[in-house]
């Protein structure tokens, strides 16, 4: 527990990757919930006698949910790229010789 607090207070390492993962999982749960809700609504539309709307929603809901899930993953990966680039630059900086003495 102290390690988490120390990591949060100090700026030695960014906490962004962990936050991006949390945001990703929260968004994924939201997308899956919205897709499930849309499928339930399409079944209710079919049960209510609105066949055209029910069938279209039953086809469209999983397709839109899958596209939204892929888009959400892509957006979170873009944020992760910034943090991975920072970590890579730190590695490169550590390998360079120290020219501050000259």
């Amino acid at each position: 527990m102290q390690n988490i607090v120390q990591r949060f207070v100090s700026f030695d390492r960014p906490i962004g990757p962990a936050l991006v993962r949390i945001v990703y999982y929260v968004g994924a749960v939201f997308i899956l919930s919205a897709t499930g809700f849309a499928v339930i609504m399409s079944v209710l539309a079919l049960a209510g006698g609105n066949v055209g709307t029910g069938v279209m929603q039953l086809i469209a809901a999983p397709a839109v949910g899958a596209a939204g899930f892929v888009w959400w993953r892509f957006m979170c990966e873009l944020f992760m790229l910034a943090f991975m680039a920072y970590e890579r630059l730190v590695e490169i900086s550590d390998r360079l010789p120290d020219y501050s003495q000259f």
Side-chain angles (χ1 to χ4, degrees), residues 1-98:
M1 181 71 171
Q2 185 179 3
N3 188 18
I4 294 172
V5 173
Q6 182 182 5
R7 187 174 174 189
F8 184 73
V9 174
S10 70
F11 285 92
D12 295 335
R13 293 184 58 201
I15 61 171
L19 291 176
V20 170
R21 286 186 189 103
I22 291 170
V23 169
Y24 170 73
Y25 289 127
V26 169
V29 167
F30 177 75
I31 291 170
L32 291 175
S33 299
T35 302
F37 181 74
V39 168
I40 290 171
M41 293 304 292
S42 68
V43 170
L44 290 176
L46 284 171
N50 197 350
V51 179
T53 302
V55 170
M56 288 307 292
Q57 281 183 338
L58 197 59
I59 293 170
V64 170
F69 195 76
V70 168
W71 179 81
W72 185 245
R73 174 70 187 224
F74 177 72
M75 293 304 292
C76 289
E77 284 182 1
L78 283 178
F79 282 110
M80 287 295 290
L81 280 175
F83 293 109
M84 289 189 303
Y86 171 77
E87 290 174 0
R88 182 63 60 137
L89 287 172
V90 168
E91 289 176 11
I92 292 171
S93 175
D94 290 342
R95 291 183 183 186
L96 291 175
D98 186 19

